[in-house]
Amino acid sequence: MSERVMPGRTDGLITLVAADALWVDLTVDSAVPTASGAFTCSPACARVGYVLLGGHVVATARASGGQWSVPEARVRRAAAELNAVGMDRQDLVRIGPFRGASRQACDEETPLRWRRRITGELEELGGPEVAVRREVGRPYHLAGIDWRQILVEQTRDGTRRTWWLPRAVVRLLDAAEHAETQWVQAARTSRATAAVAGPPSHHRQAKDAGGRQTTRPADPTASLRPYNAELDGQLYSVLSRKPGTSRKVAGWACAVCRTAPATVLDHCHEHGYVRAPVCQSCNTQERPDHLYSNDIRVANRYTRLFHTDTDDWLRHWHRCPGCRARTTLPLPHLAAWTAHIACRALRPTHRAPGGRKPCGVLRVSWTGSQNAPRSCLLTVAVDFCPSGEHRVLAQVPYREAAERFRTWLAETAPAVAAAAGPDRLDGLPAQFRPVIPDTSGEDLELF
């Protein structure tokens, strides 16, 4: 696209109104829908020193006349990166509501926390349809993205509503939230340094030759470092209580997708070991879709876990020493694998344009637990099947399911299978250490 002259441009800076028009003009062909008020409509607020745009933080500047403006080059860069993002509207991630999630007021001064903003607004207004006809002054966009155009509402059991967004948009908003956190932390550090060392020469606020006051904290979009098993073998119950853990996690890239910033510390709920820092999108996809504590729905997202990106996910799950030593998965994941892979041939199909397609919704439940494998039984069923509202496909004992998984793992991901198992000698001493018993005490003689 040829660069046209923008009205309101001064020394590389353009007014907020001109920036709104430029953003819409540059992203007109983007797969991700954008909003027309990215700089002037809530929750954007120029007076806090920055505006979120895609996955970027764009600094704001105020000229001597009091008018706010932004660097045109940063707007163009954010638009170019957004245009390069591909979006699959069928690859969805659940964004809420979740039990126990706290509410947050949606004003201009608070951080993005986009999941809470969307959930709070939809719950208050009564759903996506009402939210489209929003009241004046309510948040219209998030980081310049018009999320209402791509929000999907699904109903569970006819009563409970859930809201979903395409995975590409979730990653963009997670990146924006991470960039904002880095920006705020850098600005806070700059102010603390200024209070001790005197007026800064290049931090939070500085005036250029034209008398404009700009916001420049130190590099808020610093490159993320890859995760290299720094937390391997540590317990989540211990590590989560250590001060500074959240700040440390935010400095890593997601250990699964390796592109988005990490936001949470994923751990094995069965053994308690830390797996790795992951982004919110990957953490949501990995979370089992529980109907009850021992009953999960096996949705299409398991195709990515056990087909498309199976090698990455198997390596991630086996970062837990317990799962790796037993060559298995946590019980909910093993149950989902049994329904999705081991019992695939048992699932009924129906006629559809282009061939036959699986019908109904898979679900799997279990009795007992992995701690008592003899009595643990997995039951695979299909709901909403034309041949019956609830049809049981198979009942698989836990030990049989685990053995099937080990066979499949050796065929699908041989490198992961080779690194697993109880016969590994890693961590054992290289030389034999003789045991010298002390038989001097009473009743301690060896027989």
Side-chain angles (χ1 to χ4, degrees), residues 130-143:
V130 182
V132 172
R133 305 186 296 272
R134 64 183 180 87
E135 301 174 17
V136 177
R138 291 199 174 275
Y140 172 65
H141 67 90
L142 292 172

Side-chain angles (χ1 to χ4, degrees), residues 313-435:
W313 282 106
L314 288 171
R315 289 180 186 275
H316 175 68
W317 285 323
H318 273 206
R319 287 187 172 106
C320 167
C323 294
R324 187 170 64 243
R326 296 174 59 200
T327 319
T328 184
L329 296 177
L331 180 54
H333 294 312
L334 180 64
W337 176 88
T338 303
H340 191 76
I341 300 295
C343 298
R344 184 192 311 167
L346 303 178
R347 188 175 181 182
T349 59
H350 65 272
R351 293 180 181 178
R356 301 187 68 85
K357 292 184 178 181
C359 63
V361 177
L362 274 180
R363 63 186 294 182
V364 58
S365 59
W366 57 89
T367 57
S369 73
Q370 73 282 351
N371 298 322
R374 288 180 180 271
S375 59
C376 185
L377 184 67
L378 312 181
T379 301
V380 181
V382 60
D383 289 341
F384 312 114
C385 177
S387 60
E389 189 68 15
H390 181 83
R391 178 177 174 183
V392 175
L393 301 182
Q395 289 186 321
V396 184
Y398 176 86
R399 287 186 170 180
E400 181 182 342
E403 191 60 36
R404 288 187 186 181
F405 172 77
R406 295 186 186 105
T407 304
W408 175 83
L409 180 66
E411 298 173 353
T412 306
V416 179
D423 56 343
R424 298 189 61 204
L425 302 179
D426 298 1
L428 294 180
Q431 296 181 352
F432 172 72
R433 296 178 182 177
V435 178

Side-chain angles (χ1 to χ4, degrees), residues 220-344:
T221 56
S223 59
L224 299 169
R225 66 182 187 276
Y227 176 72
N228 295 314
E230 290 88 343
L231 306 178
D232 190 26
Q234 298 195 38
L235 290 173
Y236 178 79
S237 59
V238 176
L239 193 60
S240 60
R241 291 185 174 92
K242 288 186 177 180
T245 299
S246 298
R247 191 181 308 110
K248 188 176 182 180
V249 168
W252 273 306
C254 176
V256 178
C257 66
R258 303 181 186 89
T259 56
T263 57
V264 296
L265 200 57
D266 186 37
H267 68 286
C268 177
H269 291 256
E270 198 163 284
H271 300 103
Y273 289 102
V274 171
R275 293 193 187 115
V278 297
C279 65
Q280 193 70 47
S281 177
C282 290
N283 187 55
T284 302
Q285 178 166 350
E286 190 263 349
R287 182 187 297 122
D289 188 7
H290 279 281
L291 295 172
Y292 305 99
S293 60
N294 64 335
D295 196 336
I296 60 174
R297 178 183 286 114
V298 185
N300 292 331
R301 64 191 179 90
Y302 283 99
T303 301
R304 183 181 291 269
L305 296 178
F306 296 129
H307 287 283
T308 311
D309 302 327
T310 183
D311 193 67
D312 292 334
W313 282 106
L314 288 171
R315 289 180 186 275
H316 175 68
W317 285 323
H318 273 206
R319 287 187 172 106
C320 167
C323 294
R324 187 170 64 243
R326 296 174 59 200
T327 319
T328 184
L329 296 177
L331 180 54
H333 294 312
L334 180 64
W337 176 88
T338 303
H340 191 76
I341 300 295
C343 298
R344 184 192 311 167

Side-chain angles (χ1 to χ4, degrees), residues 66-95:
Q67 189 176 30
W68 288 96
S69 55
V70 294
E72 181 183 356
R74 293 301 301 267
V75 178
R76 291 184 177 275
R77 177 184 173 186
E81 293 196 10
L82 186 74
N83 290 334
V85 174
M87 184 181 69
D88 182 4
R89 290 179 177 261
Q90 303 301 319
D91 185 13
L92 300 175
V93 174
R94 180 182 172 184
I95 62 170

Side-chain angles (χ1 to χ4, degrees), residues 116-139:
R116 297 182 187 177
R117 285 183 177 269
I118 292 179
T119 301
E121 183 174 353
L122 293 179
E123 287 180 344
E124 182 178 350
L125 296 181
E129 296 79 6
V130 182
V132 172
R133 305 186 296 272
R134 64 183 180 87
E135 301 174 17
V136 177
R138 291 199 174 275

